[in-house]
Amino acid sequence: MAVKKILSIPDPILREKSILVKKVDKDIKNLMDDMIETMYNAPGIGLAAIQIGIPKRVIVMDISKDKDKKNPMFFINPKIIWKSKVLSTYEEGCLSIPNQFAEVQRPDKCHFKYLDYNGKEKEIKAEGLLSTCIQHEIDHLDGILFIDYLSKLKKDIIIKKVSKNKKELERVVV
Ligand code: ZN
């Protein structure tokens, strides 16, 4: 397992559409292991493969509140099959948009199917944080970021802030 570099906006790779995983083999398991380690290290509660530059439809997540009781979840080829009409609002953040948060409205509940770590087909009826998180992460697989739901003005401010911080950080490193 290894901690990978997380890409941040405005990296164009984050806008790529990820491709379906054909077979859950050793390579995909290695990828998921790296992703979960990278996510815990960040720390974050969800990570899509594209965020470490791999355009495959793979997501890892851990939304357990208790830090001592880890509950890693792995979703391969997740697909939403039902969304509620009722919406809920969460303040969202993203490891690819560091230190920026904004309220986003999404369907309160959703049902989705996926392949688990062992390639077994599963289905989840999600609500609350899990529902919001999986929608946020599946968006990543389609090149969509939470800032796309904001007004152009808010979105531009966030992109500018992150780009500026990034340049300053790089300057210090160099
Ligand atoms: Zn994100």
Side-chain angles (χ1 to χ4, degrees), residues 29-169:
K29 285 184 180 171
N30 285 341
L31 170 66
M32 289 190 285
D33 293 343
D34 285 347
M35 284 171 67
I36 200 85
E37 197 181 345
T38 302
M39 187 195 80
Y40 283 134
N41 179 66
I45 59 171
L47 187 75
I50 193 68
Q51 291 179 275
I52 57 165
I54 311 285
K56 288 185 178 161
R57 300 188 84 83
V58 178
I59 288 166
V60 298
M61 220 185 267
D62 188 341
I63 55 166
S64 55
K65 297 253 159 64
D66 189 345
K67 276 182 189 154
D68 298 326
K69 274 190 200 149
K70 283 185 179 168
N71 180 28
M73 294 185 283
F74 304 91
F75 304 113
I76 301 162
N77 300 341
K79 191 175 179 342
I80 290 175
I81 48 178
W82 178 83
K83 281 178 188 178
S84 65
K85 289 210 174 72
V86 177
L87 305 176
S88 66
T89 306
Y90 268 93
E91 187 168 50
E92 294 190 23
C94 179
L95 292 175
S96 294
I97 311 173
N99 304 317
Q100 304 300 319
F101 302 90
E103 284 192 345
V104 177
Q105 260 197 341
R106 298 181 186 272
D108 180 45
K109 293 177 183 161
C110 71
H111 298 175
F112 64 99
K113 55 180 189 177
Y114 63 98
L115 301 177
D116 72 4
Y117 191 87
N118 296 306
K120 242 180 111 181
E121 234 178 272
K122 296 259 173 81
E123 195 179 314
I124 287 184
K125 293 179 167 64
E127 54 179 77
L129 184 58
L130 178 59
S131 173
T132 293
C133 267
I134 195 72
Q135 291 177 61
H136 174 120
E137 298 305 333
I138 291 176
D139 272 353
H140 273 301
L141 306 183
D142 295 320
I144 299 165
L145 300 167
F146 83 81
I147 51 172
D148 299 342
Y149 297 98
L150 310 178
S151 68
K152 191 179 178 312
L153 181 68
K154 271 191 194 164
K155 183 176 169 176
D156 288 346
I157 290 171
I158 289 180
I159 293 171
K160 236 180 243 169
K161 269 191 197 160
V162 174
S163 307
K164 189 170 166 267
N165 290 344
K166 212 170 159 179
K167 269 186 204 142
E168 276 167 12
L169 254 165

